[in-house]
């Protein structure tokens, strides 16, 4: 993926404004690098880093869909506990762990209020209303918010609306604003962050980030630090060699090419071979997992010529028992980025 500097993006906006007769030709070109494109890995990572943290209170609501606003009173195994701040979650956990022969249910004293990932709130009058809210939650993809890093505001974003040919700059002043802006991105609006920006890492150190690629590296490299506060992932080899996988996302050189891998089933064997089946046709491959300069890598090599694009040494960005997310960067000045997600079926 080619790095395009802000001056180039500014020039792009100028061309849109001054050469309206060429609008259709320009708009129909693939979007240049440097843009914030809906549902791409970078945008999804930023959304997870700016969303309302909803996993911190899972001990009381058993859901990463929303958080229960404090203070709240709960009853656990006959004990009434007032949860007035996050440190009280441990008190609830201790009440759950106190005995092995109790029901361990956390019952709220209603009414309560809940807050979703987009910071919207909902008044909950009783248990039925809470069950309805839970039923309305999307399926969890096993990857929680990235809540140990921070964006230091304000952050400016340049916009160009290809429908009405209007360019302007919006200023992000909070996580709420940034998250909902990204949530509402549309393909016809070209959006670029005005770099450099300031961020704070998991250890409280302020850093300067100067590009989309550097920002993605920063967020990806912080995932492990944020995960230290929750249950650790199972061993990667055990995950990889358990079950059958499909390619749920493949993105290369600004193009979503996931459809090229529909119908392929992958089984990663413990002897470092890969069994591949598509339309009753079998092929093979090989895999290796190793550390390279501190980076956890998965090397893939397939015999099927239709899978040659996957033959790379992939950085393991994150994984759960049901999904593995990989990223590959190649090239020098003309840097190309590829993303490969496996999902267990």
């Amino acid at each position: 993926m080619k790095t395009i500097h802000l001056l180039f993006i500014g020039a792009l906006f100028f061309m849109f404004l001054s050469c309206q007769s060429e609008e259709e030709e320009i708009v129909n070109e693939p979007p240049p690098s440097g843009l914030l494109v809906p549902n791409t890995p970078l945008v999804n990572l930023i959304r997870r880093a700016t969303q309302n943290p909803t996993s911190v209170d899972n001990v009381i609501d058993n859901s990463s869909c929303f958080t229960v606003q404090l203070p709240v009173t709960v009853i656990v195994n006959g004990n009434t506990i007032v949860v007035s701040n996050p440190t009280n979650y441990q008190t609830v956990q201790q009440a759950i762990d106190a005995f092995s022969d109790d029901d361990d249910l956390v019952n709220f004293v209603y009414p309560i209020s809940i807050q979703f990932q987009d910071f919207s709130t909902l008044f909950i009058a009783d248990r039925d209303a809470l069950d309805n809210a839970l039923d309305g939650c999307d399926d969890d993809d096993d990857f929680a918010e990235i809540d140990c890093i921070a964006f230091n505001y304000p952050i400016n974003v340049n916009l160009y609306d290809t429908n009405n040919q209007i360019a302007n700059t919006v200023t992000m002043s909070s996580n709420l604003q940034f998250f909902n802006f990204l949530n509402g991105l549309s393909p016809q609006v070209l959006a670029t962050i005005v770099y450099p920006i300031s961020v704070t890492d998991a250890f409280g150190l302020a850093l300067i980030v100067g590009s989309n690629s550097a920002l993605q590296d920063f967020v990806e490299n912080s995932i492990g630090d944020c995960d230290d506060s929750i249950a650790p992932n199972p061993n990667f080899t055990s995950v990889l060699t358990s079950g059958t996988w499909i390619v749920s996302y493949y993105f290369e050189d600004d193009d979503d090419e996931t459809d090229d891998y529909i119908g392929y089933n992958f089984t990663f064997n413990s002897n470092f071979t890969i069994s591949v089946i598509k339309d009753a046709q079998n092929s093979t491959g090989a895999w290796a997992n190793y550390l390279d300069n501190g980076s956890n890598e998965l090397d893939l090599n397939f015999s099927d010529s239709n899978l040659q694009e996957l033959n790379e040494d992939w950085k393991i960005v994150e994984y759960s028992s049901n999904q593995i997310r990989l990223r590959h960067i190649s090239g020098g000045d003309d840097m190309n980025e590829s993303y490969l997600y496996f999902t267990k079926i």
Side-chain angles (χ1 to χ4, degrees):
M1 182 181 292
K2 298 181 179 178
T3 303
I4 299 182
H5 297 290
L6 179 61
L7 289 177
F8 179 83
I9 298 296
L12 177 64
F13 289 166
F14 178 79
M15 285 190 294
F16 272 118
L17 293 170
S18 61
C19 304
Q20 295 184 18
S21 63
E22 299 179 12
E23 180 193 3
E24 287 302 319
E25 178 182 353
I26 296 173
V27 171
N28 289 333
E29 290 295 317
S33 302
L35 296 180
L36 298 174
V37 180
N39 296 317
T40 53
L42 174 61
V43 167
N44 289 336
L45 284 170
I46 299 174
R47 290 174 66 250
R48 288 169 58 191
T50 57
Q51 71 164 78
N52 173 46
T54 54
S55 297
V56 64
D57 69 341
N58 282 5
V59 67
I60 64 172
D61 64 11
N62 197 33
S63 172
S64 296
C65 177
F66 52 76
T67 186
V68 178
Q69 293 190 291
L70 304 181
V72 66
T73 300
V74 299
I75 300 173
V76 184
N77 297 323
N79 298 311
T80 299
I81 303 170
V82 177
V83 182
S84 57
N85 60 68
T87 61
N88 298 139
Y89 297 141
Q90 183 59 35
T91 304
V92 176
Q93 187 64 62
Q94 290 170 350
I96 292 173
D97 296 339
F99 302 99
S100 60
D101 58 350
D102 44 35
D103 59 22
D104 291 340
L105 295 178
V106 177
N107 299 289
F108 293 104
V109 176
Y110 296 95
I112 63 174
S113 291
I114 61 176
Q115 188 171 39
F116 296 95
Q117 294 176 352
D118 65 356
F119 300 90
S120 63
T121 59
L122 181 65
F123 177 80
I124 301 294
D126 51 34
R127 180 68 207 193
D128 288 341
L130 182 62
D131 288 340
N132 289 336
L134 288 168
D135 290 342
C137 291
D138 294 331
D139 291 336
D140 190 354
D141 66 0
D142 296 329
F143 297 113
E145 66 266 10
I146 305 170
D147 60 357
C148 66
I149 61 176
F151 288 85
N152 300 322
Y153 299 99
I155 293 174
N156 291 325
V157 178
N158 284 336
L159 303 177
Y160 179 79
D161 192 321
T162 59
N163 283 343
N164 55 30
Q165 301 178 350
I166 293 177
N168 69 313
T169 299
V170 296
T171 299
M172 305 298 157
S173 57
S174 66
N175 280 351
L176 184 157
Q177 187 178 6
F178 203 4
F179 177 88
N180 284 307
F181 168 80
L182 296 172
N183 235 19
L185 275 177
S186 59
Q188 70 266 18
V189 176
L190 309 182
T192 60
I193 295 174
V194 179
Y195 291 104
I197 65 171
S198 172
V199 295
T200 300
D201 70 11
F203 308 100
L205 181 64
L207 305 172
I208 300 299
V209 175
S211 68
N212 277 4
S213 181
L215 178 58
Q216 182 156 340
D217 286 338
F218 165 72
V219 179
E220 286 181 351
N221 293 336
S222 300
I223 291 174
D225 299 322
C226 295
D227 284 347
D228 286 344
S229 61
I230 61 176
N233 278 320
N235 176 269
F236 177 75
T237 299
S238 298
V239 169
L240 184 69
T241 56
S242 173
T244 301
W245 303 80
I246 61 170
V247 172
S248 55
Y249 183 75
Y250 182 73
F251 187 89
E252 181 184 30
D253 298 339
D254 298 327
D255 291 321
D256 187 336
E257 301 177 8
T258 308
D259 287 350
D260 293 347
Y261 302 98
I262 292 177
Y264 282 96
N265 289 345
F266 302 85
T267 301
F268 296 86
N269 304 306
S270 57
N271 63 355
F272 305 105
T273 63
I274 308 172
S275 302
V276 184
I277 300 177
K278 182 184 180 183
D279 298 330
Q281 298 297 314
N282 297 322
S283 62
T284 60
W287 67 272
N289 176 219
Y290 53 86
L291 288 177
D292 183 13
N293 293 322
S295 176
N296 196 7
E297 304 279 332
L298 176 64
D299 188 83
L300 300 178
N301 197 301
F302 294 99
S303 61
D304 187 339
S305 60
N306 294 317
L307 300 176
Q308 294 301 301
E309 294 291 339
L310 307 186
N311 291 347
E312 298 287 1
D313 51 337
W314 297 90
K315 174 186 175 183
I316 303 170
V317 176
E318 58 184 332
Y319 65 93
S320 68
S321 58
N322 295 304
Q323 191 173 130
I324 297 170
R325 296 183 174 181
L326 309 171
R327 181 185 180 202
H328 177 75
I329 302 176
S330 61
D333 294 335
D334 296 332
M335 185 177 65
N336 295 316
E337 293 181 313
S338 301
Y339 307 90
L340 173 62
Y341 294 177
F342 286 106
T343 297
K344 186 177 294 184
I345 59 175

